[in-house]
Amino acid sequence: MVNILLSDFSINNDGAYEDLKEYFKPLNKIVVLPFANWEYLQDEKHFRELFDYNNGREFNDIANKLHMYGVEKEDISVISPKDSVEFILEKIKRADIVLLTGGDPNQIAMYMPFEVWEALDDVEIIVGVSAGSMIQCAIYYMYRDYQDDTVPLVKRDSY
C-alpha cells in the first residue's frame, strides 16, 4: 500500500508531476470519498454544488488536475450520502486509487462506516488531502492557526 499525504491538492505543476506520475496514470479508476465534509454534503444541493459530474466545483477541480496525468473525467467517481455501504465497498474494490478529501478529520472518523475503513486496507494507493492525510496517521495534532472562530466545518478547540 502507498499512502500519499498532501497538505493541499496542488498536484498540477511540474514538480508535483515528477513526484506523482508513477502513481496517477491514464486509465486509473479513482473514487473520491468526501467524508471530511459529510455533514455539509447531507443537503443534496450542497453535494451537487461541489461534486456534480458536470458542474461541481470540487469535482471539476479534481478532474482538471488529474487530467495532467492522463486520468479522464469519466474514470473519477464520487460517493454520495445516498450511496449504500455495499455500493461504496464495490467502488473501492474496483478503484486503483482512493482519494480522501480535505475538510474536518473528525467528520471522517465519525461518518466513514467501519466496513469502509476495513476495505481501505486492500487499496493499493490512498491519497489524502489535508484532513484526508491526517486521518491516515495513528495520531495527529491540528493547531488552530486562524483568527476567525466562525470558520465552517471546524469544531472549536476539538484538536
Side-chain angles (χ1 to χ4, degrees):
M1 176 190 296
V2 174
N3 298 79
I4 299 173
L5 309 177
L6 304 170
S7 61
D8 63 30
F9 203 57
S10 300
I11 64 165
N12 58 331
N13 62 60
D14 292 337
Y17 179 81
E18 285 304 312
D19 291 335
L20 297 173
K21 68 182 179 185
E22 69 181 277
Y23 304 108
F24 293 119
K25 297 180 182 173
L27 303 178
N28 275 160
K29 301 291 185 217
I30 298 174
V31 62
V32 179
L33 305 181
F35 284 104
N37 291 303
W38 209 240
E39 290 173 6
Y40 183 76
L41 297 177
Q42 296 303 305
D43 180 328
E44 190 170 333
K45 178 181 175 249
H46 292 152
F47 183 83
R48 281 194 318 271
E49 285 173 1
L50 294 179
F51 292 107
D52 177 73
Y53 181 81
N54 295 308
N55 301 312
R57 287 189 323 259
E58 290 293 319
F59 183 84
N60 284 317
D61 182 56
I62 291 167
N64 290 336
K65 290 176 179 177
L66 289 172
H67 186 73
M68 178 180 194
Y69 299 85
V71 176
E72 297 298 327
K73 188 174 182 177
E74 56 268 11
D75 291 325
I76 304 167
S77 59
V78 180
I79 62 113
S80 83
K82 290 184 173 184
D83 295 333
S84 69
V85 172
E86 293 77 19
F87 180 83
I88 297 168
L89 294 175
E90 189 61 34
K91 285 286 192 179
I92 290 171
K93 189 165 127 182
R94 295 176 186 262
D96 300 300
I97 298 172
V98 170
L99 175 64
L100 301 171
T101 61
D104 181 350
N106 286 336
Q107 286 191 41
I108 300 173
M110 289 186 324
Y111 296 111
M112 187 182 293
F114 181 74
E115 298 89 347
V116 174
W117 283 110
E118 286 185 314
L120 293 180
D121 288 339
D122 298 325
V123 175
E124 183 145 345
I125 301 171
I126 300 176
V127 178
V129 179
S130 191
S133 291
M134 293 171 65
I135 204 71
Q136 294 180 65
C137 301
I139 298 173
Y140 63 88
Y141 173 77
M142 229 173 111
Y143 177 73
R144 226 177 38 169
D145 61 351
Y146 54 86
Q147 298 298 316
D148 183 3
D149 284 340
T150 63
V151 175
L153 303 178
V154 175
K155 293 181 182 174
R156 187 170 179 199
D157 300 322
S158 65
Y159 305 106

